[in-house]
Amino acid sequence: AGTAGVHVVTGYRAADIAGALAGMDVDIVHNPDFEEGMASSLRTGVAALSVKTAGMLVMLADMPFVEAGDLGRMTEAFADADGQSIVRAASGNKRGNPLILPKSTFAAIGQLEGDIGARSIVAESGLDVIDIDIGEAALIDVDTREAVANAGGVLRG
Protein backbone atom coordinates (compact mmCIF):
# COMPACT_ATOMS: atom_id res chain seq x y z
CA ALA A 1 0.00 0.00 0.00
CA GLY A 2 3.00 2.27 -0.30
CA THR A 3 4.01 2.20 3.34
CA ALA A 4 7.60 2.09 4.54
CA GLY A 5 6.90 -0.63 7.08
CA VAL A 6 4.17 -2.45 8.95
CA HIS A 7 3.97 -2.75 12.71
CA VAL A 8 1.36 -5.09 14.14
CA VAL A 9 0.44 -4.21 17.70
CA THR A 10 -0.62 -7.30 19.62
CA GLY A 11 -2.29 -7.77 22.96
CA TYR A 12 -4.75 -10.56 23.69
CA ARG A 13 -3.62 -13.86 22.09
CA ALA A 14 -0.33 -12.25 21.03
CA ALA A 15 1.38 -15.61 20.45
CA ASP A 16 -1.43 -16.81 18.17
CA ILE A 17 -1.31 -13.60 16.16
CA ALA A 18 2.48 -13.69 15.87
CA GLY A 19 2.22 -17.31 14.70
CA ALA A 20 -0.38 -16.42 12.06
CA LEU A 21 1.90 -13.66 10.76
CA ALA A 22 5.09 -15.75 10.78
CA GLY A 23 7.07 -15.24 7.59
CA MET A 24 5.35 -11.97 6.72
CA ASP A 25 7.36 -8.77 6.44
CA VAL A 26 5.91 -7.14 9.55
CA ASP A 27 7.28 -6.06 12.92
CA ILE A 28 5.36 -7.46 15.87
CA VAL A 29 5.07 -4.95 18.72
CA HIS A 30 3.47 -6.30 21.88
CA ASN A 31 1.26 -4.04 23.96
CA PRO A 32 1.47 -5.36 27.53
CA ASP A 33 -1.23 -2.89 28.57
CA PHE A 34 -3.82 -4.05 26.02
CA GLU A 35 -6.46 -4.55 28.70
CA GLU A 36 -6.48 -0.76 29.23
CA GLY A 37 -8.16 -0.35 25.85
CA MET A 38 -7.55 0.89 22.34
CA ALA A 39 -5.58 3.99 23.39
CA SER A 40 -2.80 1.81 24.80
CA SER A 41 -2.39 0.11 21.42
CA LEU A 42 -2.19 3.47 19.65
CA ARG A 43 0.45 4.64 22.15
CA THR A 44 2.41 1.41 21.68
CA GLY A 45 2.27 1.78 17.91
CA VAL A 46 3.48 5.38 17.97
CA ALA A 47 6.32 4.49 20.34
CA ALA A 48 7.55 1.85 17.87
CA LEU A 49 7.89 4.29 14.97
CA SER A 50 11.11 5.77 13.69
CA VAL A 51 11.67 9.46 14.37
CA LYS A 52 11.74 9.86 10.58
CA THR A 53 8.18 8.57 10.19
CA ALA A 54 5.90 11.12 8.52
CA GLY A 55 2.62 9.49 9.49
CA MET A 56 0.92 6.44 10.91
CA LEU A 57 -1.76 4.45 9.10
CA VAL A 58 -4.03 2.99 11.76
CA MET A 59 -5.90 -0.08 10.62
CA LEU A 60 -8.06 -2.18 12.88
CA ALA A 61 -7.50 -5.92 12.73
CA ASP A 62 -11.20 -6.68 12.47
CA MET A 63 -11.95 -4.97 9.14
CA PRO A 64 -11.73 -7.82 6.62
CA PHE A 65 -13.03 -5.97 3.56
CA VAL A 66 -10.42 -3.20 3.47
CA GLU A 67 -8.16 -3.95 0.51
CA ALA A 68 -4.58 -3.02 -0.33
CA GLY A 69 -5.85 -0.74 -3.10
CA ASP A 70 -7.91 1.20 -0.54
CA LEU A 71 -4.82 1.71 1.59
CA GLY A 72 -2.83 2.68 -1.48
CA ARG A 73 -5.31 5.44 -2.36
CA MET A 74 -5.15 6.68 1.21
CA THR A 75 -1.34 6.75 1.35
CA GLU A 76 -1.27 8.52 -2.03
CA ALA A 77 -3.63 11.21 -0.70
CA PHE A 78 -1.42 11.58 2.39
CA ALA A 79 1.67 12.02 0.20
CA ASP A 80 -0.15 14.50 -2.04
CA ALA A 81 -0.92 16.54 1.11
CA ASP A 82 2.80 16.49 2.00
CA GLY A 83 2.00 14.51 5.14
CA GLN A 84 0.22 17.50 6.69
CA SER A 85 -3.38 16.26 6.61
CA ILE A 86 -5.34 13.50 8.26
CA VAL A 87 -6.61 10.95 5.76
CA ARG A 88 -9.69 8.98 6.75
CA ALA A 89 -11.60 6.18 5.06
CA ALA A 90 -15.27 6.87 4.49
CA SER A 91 -18.37 5.36 2.97
CA GLY A 92 -20.37 8.13 1.39
CA ASN A 93 -20.88 10.74 4.11
CA LYS A 94 -20.08 8.32 6.94
CA ARG A 95 -16.65 8.44 8.56
CA GLY A 96 -14.88 5.16 9.06
CA ASN A 97 -11.53 3.45 9.34
CA PRO A 98 -8.64 3.09 8.62
CA LEU A 99 -7.05 6.48 9.00
CA ILE A 100 -3.66 8.10 8.55
CA LEU A 101 -2.41 10.47 11.22
CA PRO A 102 0.51 12.82 10.50
CA LYS A 103 3.54 13.14 12.74
CA SER A 104 2.15 16.37 14.20
CA THR A 105 -0.50 14.28 16.02
CA PHE A 106 1.92 11.78 17.61
CA ALA A 107 2.32 13.70 20.89
CA ALA A 108 -1.47 13.80 21.30
CA ILE A 109 -1.68 10.07 20.57
CA GLY A 110 0.84 9.52 23.36
CA GLN A 111 -1.58 11.18 25.79
CA LEU A 112 -4.66 9.08 24.94
CA GLU A 113 -6.10 6.89 27.69
CA GLY A 114 -8.84 4.30 27.95
CA ASP A 115 -10.82 2.45 25.34
CA ILE A 116 -10.88 5.26 22.80
CA GLY A 117 -9.35 5.74 19.41
CA ALA A 118 -8.14 8.88 17.71
CA ARG A 119 -11.52 10.52 17.05
CA SER A 120 -10.81 13.38 19.48
CA ILE A 121 -7.44 13.99 17.86
CA VAL A 122 -9.05 14.23 14.43
CA ALA A 123 -11.66 16.67 15.77
CA GLU A 124 -9.26 18.85 17.76
CA SER A 125 -6.12 18.84 15.60
CA GLY A 126 -7.06 21.76 13.39
CA LEU A 127 -5.67 19.79 10.43
CA ASP A 128 -7.42 19.29 7.13
CA VAL A 129 -9.17 15.93 6.91
CA ILE A 130 -9.24 14.19 3.55
CA ASP A 131 -11.96 11.55 3.28
CA ILE A 132 -11.31 8.71 0.83
CA ASP A 133 -14.45 6.77 -0.06
CA ILE A 134 -13.66 3.05 0.11
CA GLY A 135 -17.28 1.97 0.29
CA GLU A 136 -18.82 -0.21 2.98
CA ALA A 137 -15.39 -1.63 3.88
CA ALA A 138 -14.81 1.56 5.91
CA LEU A 139 -17.72 0.71 8.20
CA ILE A 140 -17.66 -3.07 8.58
CA ASP A 141 -15.81 -4.59 11.47
CA VAL A 142 -16.23 -8.03 12.95
CA ASP A 143 -16.49 -7.68 16.71
CA THR A 144 -18.56 -10.78 17.44
CA ARG A 145 -18.39 -14.48 16.58
CA GLU A 146 -21.50 -14.05 14.43
CA ALA A 147 -19.95 -11.11 12.54
CA VAL A 148 -16.79 -13.16 11.85
CA ALA A 149 -18.88 -16.02 10.45
CA ASN A 150 -21.02 -13.63 8.37
CA ALA A 151 -17.85 -12.10 6.90
CA GLY A 152 -16.67 -15.56 5.80
CA GLY A 153 -14.24 -16.09 8.66
CA VAL A 154 -13.47 -19.42 10.26
CA LEU A 155 -13.60 -19.62 14.03
CA ARG A 156 -11.26 -21.80 16.04
CA GLY A 157 -11.94 -22.90 19.57
Side-chain angles (χ1 to χ4, degrees):
T3 62
V6 175
H7 297 294
V8 176
V9 178
T10 62
Y12 178 70
R13 295 184 67 178
D16 292 338
I17 294 166
L21 298 175
M24 297 182 88
D25 187 19
V26 299
D27 294 317
I28 306 291
V29 182
H30 182 64
N31 173 15
D33 301 319
F34 68 91
E35 290 180 344
E36 292 178 13
M38 194 179 329
S40 67
S41 291
L42 288 168
R43 290 192 316 263
T44 299
V46 163
L49 298 175
S50 162
V51 295
K52 297 178 183 178
T53 301
M56 177 173 79
L57 188 153
V58 178
M59 182 169 170
L60 308 176
D62 62 352
M63 299 188 74
F65 300 112
V66 175
E67 298 181 357
D70 300 327
L71 301 177
R73 289 189 297 129
M74 292 178 69
T75 57
E76 184 177 311
F78 184 74
D80 288 347
D82 295 322
Q84 302 302 311
S85 295
I86 294 170
V87 178
R88 175 177 57 201
S91 178
N93 292 327
K94 294 182 181 177
R95 299 175 294 216
N97 284 298
L99 102 135
I100 303 175
L101 298 164
K103 186 175 193 163
S104 63
T105 65
F106 290 1
I109 293 168
Q111 301 302 310
L112 289 174
E113 293 185 7
D115 195 24
I116 62 167
R119 184 172 291 159
S120 64
I121 292 171
V122 173
E124 297 167 9
S125 70
L127 297 171
D128 288 337
V129 178
I130 301 168
D131 285 334
I132 303 295
D133 195 323
I134 67 168
E136 290 294 310
L139 306 177
I140 298 172
D141 61 13
V142 290
D143 290 334
T144 65
R145 295 179 71 79
E146 179 183 20
V148 170
N150 289 340
V154 178
L155 299 169
R156 292 187 291 157

